[in-house]
Structures are given as C-alpha cells and as structure tokens.
Amino acid sequence: MALQISPEVRAIMRRSAAELEPYDPGFSPVEVNLSANENTYGMPEAVRWAINDALSQTALNRYPVPLADKLRQKLADWHGVDPSQVCVGNGGDELLFNLFLAFGGPGRTLLNSTPTFSVYSIYAGLVDTPIVNVERDPETFAPNQDELLRLAPQSNIVVLTSPNNPTGDIVDKDFVDRLCRACPGIVLLDEAYGEFAPTGSTCEPLLASHPNLVVLHTLSKAFAFAGGRLGYVLADPSVVGALAAVRQPYTVDVLVQAAAEVIVDHRHDFLPTIGQIKSERERLLEGLGRLSDLGVKAWPSCSNFVCVRVPDAPHVWTSLRDDHSILVRNFSATPGLHNCLRITVGTPAENDRVLAALRTILQED
Ligand SMILES: *Cc1c(COP(=O)(O)O)cnc(C)c1O
C-alpha cells in the first residue's frame, strides 16, 4: 500500500514539504517493464564479472573518499576535463537536489522548459524556489527559445534536458550558448540520455567558455547501473565547490565507487548495446507508425524511449499492464502531454511484445 501522511503530521511539516506526497514510481510486478528508461539489456557479462571482483576486494570498514577521487579522475579523463570540474552524486537526482539547495531558494527563480523531467520542479519547490514554466511547442515539443532567452536574465537556474524526458528531442547548441550568456545564474544541461543521441550533440564543448554551465550525466541509463546510483556533473571548479559544500559527504559509498570505476574503464563494452537500443528505437517507431490508422502518433526520439499519443491513454496503459503484463509510463495527466505514454526501448522481444499488445488493445476499441 502507498505511504500516507496523516493530516496531523502534515500540519507540523515544513510548508513546502507538506505539499508533497511520498514518491511512488508506480512499479508493479510485470513481465515486461518499459517504464523507467532503464537499460533492459543489463550489464555486459564481462563487466559484471569485473564489478564482482572489484566489490569483493573493497574494504567496508572505512568511510568512502567523499568526492571519489579515483572515479573522479577517470570521469575527467573520459570527458577531457580537469578532475576539479567533476562532482559525483548518489544518482543524478541527488546532484539535482544539491544544485537547487546551493543555487535555488526563496526569492530566486527556476526557468523550466515544460513538459520535462518532473524532478526539477519538485526539488525546486522543496527549497521554496519559485518556478517559471515556459511551454514547449505543443506539436513538436521544441523549446520556446525566444521566451527562454527573454526570461533568462532574471533567472537563477535554467534547466534544459537534452534529450528531453519524456519528449526525446535534443536542444540546439547555439541556443545553449546564447542562454549561458543571457543567464547570470546556473544553466543546467541534463544529458542523462546523451549516449543515445547522435554523436556531437553534447553541450560539453561549451563548458570551456561558460563557467555557469553545468552538464549532468548518469550511469543509470546507457550504462545499466540504475540500481547502483551514480550520477556526475561537469562544471566550473567553483560550481563543483558549491555543490561539495552542500552535499552529504558520504553519499557515494565505497561499493558504488568501486563498481563505477569498473564501468568507466569498460565503457566501450556498452557501445554494442547502445547501438542496438538506437536501432531498436527506430524499429519501434516504424512499428508505431504502422499503428497510425488506429490513432497512434509517435514523436521522433534521440533517446532510449519514445513518446506516443494514443486515443485513450489511461485505458491503454491499464490494459497493457493488466492484460499484457507490460508496464509503460502514463503521462496523460501532465500538461501538454494529454493521452501520452512514454515507452522505454527494450530488447527486440520486448519491443515486439509492446507493439503487438498495442495493436490488440486499439483494435478492440
Ligand atoms: C533518469 C534521469 C536522471 C538521473 O537519474 P539517476 O538514476 O538519479 O542518475 C536525470 N535526469 C533525467 C531527465 C532522467 O530521466
């Protein structure tokens, strides 16, 4: 049963926290889980063995090195930056929280390009940061660049997600460049799904010219490590300093540090799977295109998920789960996303199954 907050407890909570509900990812036991944009192919076997080996040699009696210096060096070498430009966190989510803790707050503003990842506004709200939402184009989901540029000078944090979750589009680099110039505060580029985008889409090259740019990455998606919790940001050393000042020192534990070092060393072993996810994405989109006569509209995607609009999303979502044991994410209650579902790109068998199930459900109606 979902956790509840009693009215008595809500009454004694801090006001911004009392407006929230316990997070429920809506997981239910199904055969095919395509709801959380995980890598459903799992870890390559050789990497898994190497991780097991590293874990067995990791001592647990000492506190972890707070900023995971060995891992940080490997991440810096990978991305061609200085280790002082890297901050690790217990998942990208923790770094987002730290960012709002350090740079948000009452009387400050988050400029958000919606619909997008809901975590930004939740964390901003938790530290009482007013939020200005600029709606994306309802047909293409392209960010409203003019409006974002107009509001950037009065904003303390601007967030852009590239590829965007759940719409799958990537942001234009020249636009990010202009945004970094226009905004006196932090510009956060969330590239959690960057590995699935065409090569050269990353905004990392802009770090050299913009000390207010923060690029977020995670090992949760392409690198099949959602259960391990390791995210990192690349930023100016001084911004990393600000994050290090507010973060809990020991959130990235010794086991996760050891496993993440192995993953970074073996990152090239993930390329075949990433390539397959990208080609399966196109195959899934083709299959969804063949359902257009049943009222399905699918948007192109640069990520490991696709956003689709169906005639009655709540019904389709429930039937997928209850009649076909397939879990996807229902976004139909999100403004701008009525009747939209987000489907993670899975293995060929998983994708075939979701396509067949959608056809069955939509033909019944
Ligand atoms: C998944 C995701 C993250 C971070 O996930 P973690 O598992 O906390 O590392 C960040 N941003 C977006 C848009 C995501 O979808």
Side-chain angles (χ1 to χ4, degrees):
M1 208 196 80
L3 280 171
Q4 304 281 336
I5 306 172
S6 69
E8 293 76 16
V9 168
R10 222 181 269 278
I12 61 171
M13 284 171 75
R14 181 192 155 119
R15 193 185 308 174
S16 55
E19 286 167 6
L20 301 173
E21 297 299 332
Y23 183 67
D24 173 11
F27 291 158
S28 35
V30 285
E31 288 165 14
V32 177
N33 185 343
L34 300 176
S35 71
N37 300 340
E38 293 145 335
N39 179 335
T40 72
Y41 296 66
M43 198 70 76
E45 210 176 330
V47 184
R48 182 61 222 226
W49 284 112
I51 289 176
N52 290 357
D53 207 39
L55 295 183
S56 70
Q57 291 172 43
T58 302
L60 298 173
N61 60 316
R62 303 286 187 186
Y63 283 103
V65 177
L67 286 176
D69 290 335
K70 259 181 91 183
L71 173 60
R72 201 181 181 206
Q73 179 70 56
K74 288 178 191 289
L75 291 166
D77 291 344
W78 172 6
H79 292 278
V81 296
D82 192 81
S84 64
Q85 291 178 269
V86 181
C87 187
V88 296
N90 188 298
D93 284 0
E94 183 186 55
L95 291 160
L96 292 172
F97 185 75
N98 291 339
L99 209 85
F100 286 107
L101 205 52
F103 296 98
R108 310 170 67 80
T109 336
L110 162 66
L111 187 57
N112 203 22
S113 179
T114 51
T116 189
F117 194 40
S118 58
V119 163
Y120 314 133
S121 56
I122 294 170
Y123 290 169
L126 200 49
V127 293
D128 301 294
T129 316
I131 303 166
V132 176
N133 286 326
V134 176
E135 292 299 319
R136 289 162 177 264
D137 183 287
E139 292 304 316
T140 65
F141 295 132
N144 185 336
Q145 298 190 358
D146 292 342
E147 189 64 0
L148 289 166
L149 283 170
R150 191 180 72 79
L151 293 166
Q154 302 102 264
S155 303
N156 301 89
I157 306 178
V158 186
V159 186
L160 281 170
T161 318
S162 182
N164 187 39
N165 177 5
T167 58
D169 54 301
I170 51 173
V171 76
D172 180 67
K173 233 181 291 180
D174 290 336
F175 168 59
V176 175
D177 187 49
R178 284 194 287 157
L179 205 57
C180 288
R181 274 182 234 284
C183 177
I186 293 291
V187 175
L188 171 67
L189 237 295
D190 184 342
E191 296 191 351
Y193 301 97
E195 294 82 4
F196 303 106
T199 27
S201 336
T202 176
C203 285
E204 273 168 42
L206 298 175
L207 283 166
S209 39
H210 297 298
N212 59 340
L213 177 63
V214 176
V215 179
L216 179 78
H217 289 285
T218 177
L219 299 187
S220 293
K221 310 287 165 48
F223 298 99
F225 198 53
R229 316 303 303 130
L230 195 284
Y232 58 100
V233 295
L234 309 177
D236 186 80
S238 188
V239 173
V240 170
L243 293 172
V246 299
R247 77 194 278 277
Q248 293 183 52
Y250 302 124
T251 51
V252 181
D253 68 63
V254 289
L255 296 172
V256 168
Q257 291 190 23
E261 285 169 25
V262 174
I263 291 172
V264 175
D265 285 342
H266 288 74
R267 62 187 179 275
H268 298 295
D269 293 0
F270 290 82
L271 291 176
T273 317
I274 293 170
Q276 192 176 5
I277 292 169
K278 288 164 79 171
S279 68
E280 277 298 301
R281 171 184 72 209
E282 299 312 313
R283 196 176 68 83
L284 183 60
L285 282 170
E286 278 165 35
L288 292 165
R290 285 192 289 276
L291 298 176
S292 60
D293 51 336
L294 295 170
V296 173
K297 173 182 165 67
W299 279 266
S301 169
C302 294
S303 196
N304 69 337
F305 53 80
V306 298
C307 183
V308 290
R309 181 165 281 149
V310 294
D312 179 358
H315 164 71
V316 172
W317 182 83
T318 307
S319 179
L320 279 173
R321 186 191 61 184
D322 298 345
D323 306 327
H324 300 271
S325 199
I326 300 172
L327 194 65
V328 300
R329 189 71 184 262
N330 181 8
F331 278 93
S332 44
T334 302
L337 294 176
H338 70 274
N339 276 333
C340 285
L341 303 173
R342 188 194 66 198
I343 306 173
T344 303
V345 179
T347 61
E350 288 172 327
N351 302 331
D352 285 342
R353 207 163 136 173
V354 78
L355 285 170
L358 282 172
R359 180 171 289 279
T360 305
I361 295 165
L362 294 167
Q363 276 173 345
E364 278 164 4
D365 298 338

